[in-house]
């Protein structure tokens, strides 16, 4: 066991850890001394030969060697990272009390900031035990060591080909399901990373428990059969065994002499392990298991996050919102006892973000904006507390980005642009700080794209094209760096699409079509790779749509109709899969409208009427759902306009449609919510004048 700590402030704690390890018949390694630069390399090499790593962290950062240490990390910090690199289980024990402030770095602001940053890194990567005295230290040490020893006996080891193969088989499908979330939650990288680590840990633990039972001398035939089934990728027998164990644990609750809290926690652990098994083949079954775990142990924050993720996959948006709220309540309960817990504060901000994301999907713009702004308030406080903390800076940029998205959807371009520029400022600073950090480079690309979106809405085509090309340059470099990275490939397809949007608006149809086809090529490859990925399917429908738009402008009606119908087929499948998904419903209405336009141009009035009415039905439902959503209101006005221009309809009916659409636009303009690019009031006035004045110019559009 490698013991890592500073010495000046933790000498007694360090000795207590070593004494306990010796008494427990473990072999401690503790060659590190904070005032000796010469032992740095040997310390890091010693870690590689250990089975466990124990960090005792107080309030002192420690010695920072100069050689081969570009980030000026302390030896303790370097050791913590080396243990991670070497894939050695890490146990962290964090001291909350300060016995002698003179032995700490708390009176030295720059070094205190280093201590805080190190502590935050530890909290992000492991689940540390906190202690205030030697008794609490040893209790945390004993629990941590016993837990890791149990894992080491059975969980993935480099020489355990059986376990590696089982976990690899089961995680293939789990990875695909995670990707479905990740594609929509690209901003919440840190949170998704934590949840993914927990999922992996649960799966390994479930496999380990099954293997351990089967390895016992008195193992039953069912336990041995469960291992054989796992090797074939079948988790059902193992799930059945864990379910029986869970039932036995629950039956013991209330028995004299039994610790009910520990009993419930063990039952919850067994339920979560069943959920981990089920996630590889049946999301609904996994959800039921995790919900049981939450009933056993309602205070486990991450169980609620996992439940919320599964509910998102199943399209249960309201239920997911409630799960994320429950997660927040558990964190807030922790904060009531430890209000200075900055990790918990950050986690609260993340729950507001997650809830906001669901509300956006549900079409509740005002609710989402309120949730995002609550998250922003927390993040501003954290970022101002420690401006050097890059994770908090990135969190802050994400909040500005999300708020900008909602404001843009509500038609408030200037405020959206202000939010996006705040996001860009942070993204530029982070990317300049570490050009090799691909996550920060991607953030910068996204920021350029967002600003381009606003400039497009404001009619500034050249400015938008400049922003999009900056984003494209970064996306292209990332995609070339790792062609197997599907996220970066998708980013590149998006930048091709955005550039095509501006080019077609500028009348450059040839180059726009080239951009759209490059985007389509990437998306066809992605969709073929995983046909069940709904986000990639939607992307593919958008590419067909965009190509259809260019072909219409070039006078190729049959080609455009073919592209639009390919898009419609994908969108109908998606919308039927989740009727509550407003984005997919709007996509479907757009497809009906575009097909109607081509049919009008081809002289097929009845066919166009059928398409336009399907479009109107969806547009009405969306506009009624969220009157504050400017885009949906203008969509409804446009749907009315399309029906108002059909020559074979009675004039009074056409007039009703046009008058209804005009009223919507006038109201939006009075509220200063009508985008310049969608100010069709003059066009409506002209069409109405022609109809009421007896004009027969039915070509007005």
């Amino acid at each position: 066991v490698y013991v890592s700590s500073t010495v000046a402030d933790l000498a007694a704690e360090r000795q207590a850890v070593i004494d306990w390890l010796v008494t427990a018949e473990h072999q401690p390694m503790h060659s590190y001394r904070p005032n000796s630069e010469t032992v740095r390399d040997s310390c890091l090499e010693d870690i590689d030969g250990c089975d466990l790593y124990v960090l005792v962290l107080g309030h002192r950062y420690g010695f920072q060697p100069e050689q081969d240490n570009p980030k000026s990390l302390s030896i303790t910090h370097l050791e913590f990272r080396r243990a991670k690199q070497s894939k050695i289980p890490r146990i962290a024990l964090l001291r909350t009390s300060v016995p002698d402030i003179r032995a700490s770095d708390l009176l030295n602001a720059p070094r205190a900031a280093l201590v805080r940053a190190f502590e935050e890194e530890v909290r992000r990567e492991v689940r540390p035990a906190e202690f205030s005295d030697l008794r609490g230290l040893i209790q945390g040490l004993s629990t941590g060591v016993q837990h890791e020893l149990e894992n080491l006996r059975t969980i993935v080891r480099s020489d355990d080909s059986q376990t590696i193969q089982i976990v690899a088989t089961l995680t293939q499908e789990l990875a695909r399901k995670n990707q479905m979330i990740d594609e929509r939650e690209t901003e919440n990288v840190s949170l998704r990373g934590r949840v993914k680590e927990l999922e992996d840990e649960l799966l390994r633990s479930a496999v380990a428990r099954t293997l351990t039972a089967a390895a016992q001398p008195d193992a039953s035939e069912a336990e041995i059969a469960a291992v054989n089934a796992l090797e074939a990728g079948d988790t059902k027998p193992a799930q059945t065994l864990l379910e029986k164990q869970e039932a036995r644990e629950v039956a013991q609750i209330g028995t004299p002499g039994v610790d009910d809290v520990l009993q419930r926690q063990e039952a919850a652990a067994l339920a979560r392990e069943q959920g981990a098994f089920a996630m590889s083949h049946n999301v609904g079954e996994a959800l039921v298991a995790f919900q049981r775990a939450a009933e056993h142990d309602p205070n486990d924050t991450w169980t609620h996050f996992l439940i919320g993720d599964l509910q998102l996959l199943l399209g249960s948006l309201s239920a997911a919102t409630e799960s994320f709220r429950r997660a927040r309540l558990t964190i807030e309960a922790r904060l009531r006892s430890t209000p200075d817990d900055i990790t918990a504060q950050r986690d609260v901000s993340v729950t507001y973000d997650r809830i906001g994301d669901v509300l956006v999907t549900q079409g509740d713009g005002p609710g989402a904006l309120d949730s995002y702004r609550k998250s922003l308030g927390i993040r501003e406080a954290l970022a101002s507390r420690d401006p050097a903390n890059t994770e908090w800076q990135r969190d802050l940029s994400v909040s500005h980005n999300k708020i900008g998205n909602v404001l843009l959807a509500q038609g408030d371009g200037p405020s959206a642009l202000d939010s996006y520029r705040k996001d860009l400022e942070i993204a530029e600073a982070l990317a300049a700080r570490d050009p090799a950090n691909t996550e920060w480079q991607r953030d910068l690309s996204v920021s350029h794209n967002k600003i381009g979106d606003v400039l497009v809405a404001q009619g500034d085509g050249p400015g938008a094209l400049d922003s999009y090309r900056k984003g494209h340059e970064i996306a292209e470099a990332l995609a070339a760096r790792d062609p197997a990275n599907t996220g970066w490939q998708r980013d590149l397809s998006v930048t091709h699409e955005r550039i095509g949007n501006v080019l077609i608006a500028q009348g450059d149809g040839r180059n726009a079509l080239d951009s759209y086809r490059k985007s389509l090529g990437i998306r066809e490859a992605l969709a073929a790779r995983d046909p069940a990925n709904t986000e990639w399917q939607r992307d593919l429908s958008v590419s067909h749509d965009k190509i259809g738009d260019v072909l219409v402008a070039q006078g190729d009606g049959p080609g455009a109709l073919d592209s639009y119908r390919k898009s419609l087929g994908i969108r109908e499948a998606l919308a039927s899969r989740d009727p509550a998904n407003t984005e997919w419903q709007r996509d479907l209405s757009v497809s009906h409208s575009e097909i109607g336009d081509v049919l009008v141009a081809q002289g097929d009035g009845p066919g166009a009427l059928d398409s336009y009415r399907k479009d109107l039905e969806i547009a009405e439902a969306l506009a009624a759902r969220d009157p504050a959503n400017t885009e949906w209101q203008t969509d409804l006005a446009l749907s009315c306009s399309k029906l108002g221009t059909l020559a074979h309809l009675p004039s009074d009916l056409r007039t009703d449609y046009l008058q209804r659409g005009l009223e919507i636009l006038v109201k939006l303009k009075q509220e200063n919510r009508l985008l310049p690019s969608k100010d069709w009031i003059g066009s409506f006035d002209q069409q109405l004048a022609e109809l009421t004045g007896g004009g027969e110019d039915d070509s007005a559009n």
Side-chain angles (χ1 to χ4, degrees):
V1 180
Y2 192 93
V3 181
S4 178
S5 76
T6 52
V7 171
D9 61 328
L10 292 170
E13 289 82 353
R14 185 182 181 87
Q15 190 59 52
V17 168
I18 291 170
D19 291 343
W20 184 89
L21 290 171
V22 171
T23 302
E25 299 185 343
H26 302 301
Q27 181 180 345
M29 295 283 291
H30 50 96
S31 56
Y32 152 57
R33 290 294 181 269
N35 60 350
S36 173
E37 182 176 354
T38 60
V39 299
R40 173 186 178 273
D41 291 338
S42 64
C43 288
L44 297 181
E45 290 172 1
D46 286 343
I47 291 173
D48 295 343
C50 290
D51 298 298
L52 292 177
Y53 166 92
V54 173
L55 168 68
V56 185
L57 182 61
H59 303 91
R60 189 180 182 88
Y61 191 58
F63 178 73
Q64 299 163 272
E66 295 180 1
Q67 186 177 359
D68 298 326
N69 189 15
K71 295 187 178 181
S72 297
L73 301 180
S74 69
I75 290 184
T76 311
H77 202 159
L78 289 167
E79 290 171 341
F80 180 76
R81 291 189 174 183
R82 180 60 168 261
K84 176 182 180 180
Q85 178 185 340
S86 301
K87 298 183 179 179
I88 295 169
R90 295 178 293 176
I91 299 167
L93 308 164
L94 304 187
R95 175 149 207 147
T96 56
S97 58
V98 186
D100 185 356
I101 196 169
R102 294 169 299 178
S104 76
D105 284 328
L106 297 182
L107 299 179
N108 183 323
R111 295 191 65 79
L114 294 174
V115 174
R116 288 197 301 272
F118 184 20
E119 180 181 330
E120 282 303 300
E121 180 175 329
V122 172
R123 289 184 182 276
R124 286 196 304 271
E125 298 189 1
V126 299
R127 290 186 174 184
E130 296 181 346
F131 70 93
S132 59
D133 54 24
L134 293 181
R135 180 179 178 183
L137 169 70
I138 298 306
Q139 182 178 356
L141 173 67
S142 173
T143 301
V145 169
Q146 293 304 316
H147 174 75
E148 293 301 339
L149 282 178
E150 180 64 25
N151 288 345
L152 283 168
R153 292 187 186 98
T154 51
I155 300 181
V156 182
R157 297 294 302 270
S158 59
D159 57 348
D160 189 351
S161 58
Q162 180 189 28
T163 306
I164 291 174
Q165 184 58 48
I166 290 174
V167 172
T169 300
L170 299 178
T171 53
Q172 288 177 356
E173 180 66 12
L174 180 58
R176 186 188 72 78
K177 288 182 169 63
N178 277 323
Q179 189 177 48
M180 291 170 65
I181 297 176
D182 291 341
E183 290 296 335
R184 299 188 61 83
E185 300 293 336
T186 51
E187 292 93 347
N188 290 333
V189 174
S190 298
L191 175 66
R192 283 302 308 148
R194 284 202 214 176
V195 175
K196 178 64 170 64
E197 286 177 4
L198 179 58
E199 291 168 351
D200 289 345
E201 177 187 330
L202 287 172
L203 187 58
R204 290 195 301 271
S205 179
V207 171
R209 195 187 292 265
T210 307
L211 292 178
T212 300
Q216 301 305 311
D218 58 347
S220 67
E221 291 184 6
E223 289 167 336
I224 295 171
V227 172
N228 293 334
L230 281 181
E231 291 177 331
D234 180 7
T235 66
K236 285 288 189 179
Q239 285 175 241
T240 300
L241 291 176
L242 294 179
E243 187 176 6
K244 290 179 179 178
Q245 290 184 49
E246 177 192 350
R248 287 196 293 269
E249 297 295 334
V250 172
Q252 291 295 314
I253 296 173
T255 303
V258 170
D259 187 326
D260 285 355
V261 173
L262 292 178
Q263 205 70 22
R264 290 182 182 280
Q265 290 175 345
E266 180 61 16
L270 287 160
R272 285 192 292 267
E273 288 174 8
Q274 293 168 61
F277 273 146
M279 284 175 73
S280 64
H281 61 85
N282 189 319
V283 173
E285 192 175 307
L287 176 60
V288 171
F290 283 117
Q291 286 173 330
R292 284 204 314 276
E295 291 174 3
H296 297 322
D297 185 9
N299 296 320
D300 188 275
T301 300
W302 298 102
T303 298
H304 294 299
F305 271 119
L306 286 166
I307 290 171
D309 275 352
L310 293 173
Q311 288 165 331
L312 284 178
L313 283 174
L314 293 169
S316 303
L317 303 182
S318 297
T321 300
E322 182 59 30
S323 293
F324 295 139
R325 283 179 175 146
R326 288 178 180 172
R328 190 183 73 229
L329 291 175
T330 66
I331 302 168
E332 289 173 342
R334 282 161 43 203
L335 282 170
R336 282 193 289 273
S337 59
T338 54
D340 293 330
D341 185 341
I342 52 181
T343 299
Q345 291 172 23
R346 178 185 179 273
D347 288 345
V348 169
S349 78
V350 173
T351 62
Y352 280 122
D353 254 16
R354 299 283 284 197
I355 291 169
D357 293 342
V358 178
L359 293 174
V360 165
T361 305
Q362 290 179 314
D364 183 0
L369 192 59
D370 177 66
S371 197
Y372 288 150
R373 282 175 170 158
K374 288 176 179 175
S375 175
L376 175 66
I378 297 170
R379 291 172 173 182
E380 285 178 328
L382 289 174
S384 64
R385 180 173 180 169
D386 183 5
N389 187 309
T390 55
E391 183 178 23
W392 293 351
Q393 289 295 323
R394 185 177 186 276
D395 286 346
L396 190 56
S397 77
V398 168
S399 286
H400 288 306
N401 190 312
K402 289 177 180 290
I403 289 171
N405 293 344
V406 179
L407 292 172
L408 184 60
Q410 293 182 343
D412 188 354
S415 296
L417 189 59
D418 179 63
S419 289
Y420 287 147
R421 282 180 170 153
K422 290 176 181 176
D423 165 38
L424 177 65
E425 182 180 356
I426 298 171
E428 286 178 327
L430 290 175
R433 181 169 182 163
D434 183 3
N437 188 313
T438 55
E439 182 182 0
W440 293 349
Q441 290 295 324
R442 182 185 180 276
D443 288 345
L444 183 56
S445 174
V446 170
S447 295
H448 283 303
N449 288 339
K450 294 292 187 179
I451 288 177
D453 291 345
V454 182
L455 295 176
V456 163
Q458 294 181 340
D460 182 2
L465 193 58
D466 179 64
S467 289
Y468 288 152
R469 282 177 171 156
K470 288 177 180 175
H472 173 79
E473 182 179 351
I474 299 170
E476 195 169 38
L478 290 173
R481 180 172 181 163
D482 182 5
N485 187 311
T486 56
W488 293 350
Q489 290 296 323
R490 181 178 183 272
D491 288 345
L492 183 57
S493 77
V494 170
T495 62
H496 280 304
E497 178 188 302
R498 282 186 162 104
I499 289 171
N501 293 345
V502 179
L503 291 173
I504 196 171
Q506 294 179 339
D508 187 356
R510 182 178 62 84
N511 285 320
L513 190 59
D514 180 63
S515 288
Y516 288 149
R517 282 177 171 157
K518 287 177 180 176
S519 179
L520 175 66
I522 297 171
R523 291 172 173 181
E524 285 178 329
L526 290 174
R529 182 171 181 165
D530 183 4
N533 187 310
T534 56
E535 189 69 15
W536 293 351
Q537 288 295 324
R538 180 182 184 273
D539 287 345
L540 188 56
S541 77
V542 170
S543 285
H544 286 305
D545 220 34
K546 296 291 184 180
I547 290 171
D549 292 343
V550 181
L551 294 175
V552 164
Q554 293 179 342
D556 182 2
L561 192 58
D562 180 64
S563 288
Y564 287 150
R565 283 177 170 157
K566 287 177 180 175
S567 176
L568 176 66
I570 297 170
R571 291 173 173 180
E572 286 178 329
L574 290 175
S576 63
R577 180 171 181 163
D578 181 7
N581 189 310
T582 56
E583 180 181 46
W584 294 349
Q585 289 296 324
R586 182 178 184 273
D587 287 345
L588 187 57
S589 76
V590 169
S591 285
H592 287 305
S593 176
E594 289 169 333
I595 289 172
D597 291 346
V598 178
L599 294 175
V600 165
Q602 293 180 343
D604 183 0
L609 178 61
D610 180 64
S611 291
Y612 286 156
R613 281 178 170 163
K614 290 176 180 175
D615 164 39
L616 178 66
E617 181 181 357
I618 299 171
E620 287 175 329
L622 291 175
R625 185 166 188 162
D626 182 7
N629 189 308
T630 302
E631 184 176 42
W632 293 352
Q633 295 298 320
T634 50
D635 283 348
L636 179 55
L638 180 60
S639 297
C640 292
S641 171
K642 295 294 179 75
L643 285 161
T645 59
L646 287 178
H648 68 286
L649 290 181
S651 295
D652 57 343
L653 182 57
R654 294 171 60 190
T655 299
D656 288 343
Y657 281 128
L658 291 170
Q659 189 62 48
R660 181 183 175 191
L662 179 62
E663 290 172 359
I664 294 171
L665 296 178
V666 169
K667 182 180 179 183
L668 290 174
K669 190 157 191 174
Q670 290 172 344
E671 296 171 351
N672 198 29
R673 291 198 292 142
L674 187 61
L675 297 176
S677 60
K678 295 187 177 181
D679 190 352
W680 306 311
I681 290 177
S683 175
F684 274 72
D685 284 335
Q686 180 183 350
Q687 293 173 56
L688 281 167
E690 290 164 356
L691 279 174
T692 57
E696 297 298 333
D697 184 4
D698 294 309
S699 65
N701 192 357

